[in-house]
Amino acid sequence: MAATRAITIASNSTCTLLRKKPFVGGTALSLNNLKFGRTRRSYTCRAIYNPQIVVKEEGQPETLDYRVFFVDQSGKKVSPWHDIPLRSGDDIFNFIVEIPKESSAKMEVATDEAFTPIKQDTKKGKLRYYPYNIHWNYGLLPQTWEDPSFANSEVEGALGDNDPVDVVEIGERQRKIGEVLKVKPLGALAMIDEGELDWKIVAISLDDPKASLVNDVNDVEKHFPGTLTAIRDWFRDYKIPDGKPANKFGLGNQAANKEYALKVITETNESWNKLIKRSIPAGELSLA
């Protein structure tokens, strides 16, 4: 029988997390208390978002049937992609962690499954791993979608990759699968992966010690020197060990500024709205 572990979320308190790889955590728009059902290690932290959601694991980590679901107070499953709001304030957005920093299991929201749980990606029936650890927290912006029918004239006419927009969160803490953090965008990288546009929004969690110091792309280089180049090079090269060509980047191979990142977020949110209203064919995507 598949194991199920729940992370309960309550407001106005500290959170107690009991940790087991791969780091799974529940947070939400104002969360403050997390409890893991079956764990090995505990510590306290301050949470960021709390819409009274429970994050539940089904199955065992690093297996084909492992899923991380989001459940509301009534016990109903909800979609992290569709039901968690994108915006959390002026130029502040909710970010869902799929892959914790310094880990290599390629976790992602299952966009073609009901309630879009987080799962480990597969290829030819085998679990996928990056060839080396990713050095930042990685995940998605809810309620965004890169439309595969839209050719972006500013990025070599590349079509959207049919996924939510990706976020690279550069803060110092390692987060957990399923955490939802308030972040502010700082810049954007226009990655082109086999002809598809795959935006990477560079952002920082509001609870990071350096969050107040960085407000645009130039601040990243000042307070996190070398990080933008490292992010670009990591995503450029990670497929090479598998025999694939390096990914490319548009916009002059540089990170665009915060204003441009906000434009990307707005445009992809508009595309998601069209998708969810069925103004655009969903294909195999789950809208539940």
Side-chain angles (χ1 to χ4, degrees):
M1 180 179 296
T4 300
R5 283 176 283 179
I7 303 157
T8 58
I9 302 170
S11 60
N12 301 321
S13 63
T14 58
C15 67
T16 301
L17 289 175
L18 301 177
R19 189 171 77 180
K20 179 181 178 180
K21 287 186 177 181
F23 305 86
V24 179
T27 37
L29 293 174
S30 177
L31 145 70
N32 296 84
N33 188 352
L34 304 177
K35 294 182 181 178
F36 278 75
R38 195 186 306 169
T39 56
R40 298 178 181 172
R41 214 169 139 190
S42 65
Y43 58 94
T44 59
C45 65
R46 287 193 61 88
I48 296 178
Y49 164 83
N50 181 15
Q52 299 299 315
I53 285 178
V54 174
V55 178
K56 287 187 175 180
E57 294 178 273
E58 294 186 5
Q60 294 297 325
E62 299 186 71
T63 63
L64 293 173
D65 63 349
Y66 178 67
R67 297 292 186 274
V68 178
F69 284 96
F70 291 63
V71 181
D72 68 15
Q73 282 184 304
S74 70
K76 177 185 175 183
K77 288 179 178 177
V78 297
S79 166
W81 181 18
H82 301 308
D83 294 323
I84 290 178
L86 169 63
R87 299 182 185 276
S88 188
D90 292 340
D91 295 345
I92 302 300
F93 301 89
N94 292 314
F95 158 58
I96 301 167
V97 179
E98 295 169 306
I99 306 174
K101 69 186 294 186
E102 302 308 334
S103 65
S104 64
K106 192 176 185 302
M107 310 299 296
E108 63 180 16
V109 161
T111 58
D112 59 349
E113 296 184 12
F115 306 110
T116 63
I118 297 173
K119 69 171 186 177
Q120 188 166 351
D121 191 21
T122 60
K123 184 176 182 180
K124 296 180 179 180
K126 295 184 178 180
L127 296 171
R128 291 188 66 188
Y129 295 85
Y130 290 123
Y132 30 71
N133 285 351
I134 189 168
H135 307 307
W136 312 274
N137 296 300
Y138 188 59
L140 73 140
L141 288 176
Q143 300 184 346
T144 62
W145 179 57
E146 298 194 47
D147 182 353
S149 69
F150 174 69
N152 192 309
S153 60
E154 297 178 1
V155 190
E156 303 179 19
L159 301 172
D161 71 350
N162 203 32
D163 282 327
V165 170
D166 297 326
V167 172
V168 183
E169 195 276 318
I170 63 173
E172 68 177 20
R173 286 175 52 195
Q174 182 185 52
R175 303 298 183 155
K176 295 148 198 71
I177 298 171
E179 278 194 271
V180 185
L181 308 174
K182 290 182 181 179
V183 299
K184 57 180 176 180
L186 306 169
L189 285 161
M191 190 175 91
I192 303 172
D193 181 355
E194 298 183 11
E196 295 181 337
L197 180 55
D198 187 2
W199 288 107
K200 309 298 181 190
I201 301 297
V202 179
I204 190 165
S205 177
L206 294 189
D207 68 346
D208 189 83
K210 292 186 178 180
S212 63
L213 302 176
V214 286
N215 295 292
D216 211 326
V217 70
N218 292 332
D219 298 327
V220 177
E221 191 57 36
K222 180 179 179 180
H223 296 285
F224 295 84
T227 294
L228 293 171
T229 299
I231 292 171
R232 184 195 63 204
D233 291 354
W234 194 98
F235 283 100
R236 181 193 65 198
D237 297 340
Y238 80 90
K239 291 186 175 181
I240 292 176
D242 292 331
K244 293 186 176 182
N247 290 319
K248 299 192 300 179
F249 287 85
L251 304 180
N253 211 36
Q254 300 296 318
N257 63 14
K258 176 181 180 177
E259 181 180 4
Y260 199 98
L262 292 173
K263 180 172 85 80
V264 170
I265 295 169
T266 297
E267 290 175 350
T268 54
N269 175 242
E270 291 171 353
S271 294
W272 173 83
N273 271 291
K274 293 176 182 177
L275 175 70
I276 211 73
K277 293 175 182 176
R278 293 172 171 78
S279 301
I280 298 176
E284 296 182 357
L285 296 175
S286 172
L287 302 184

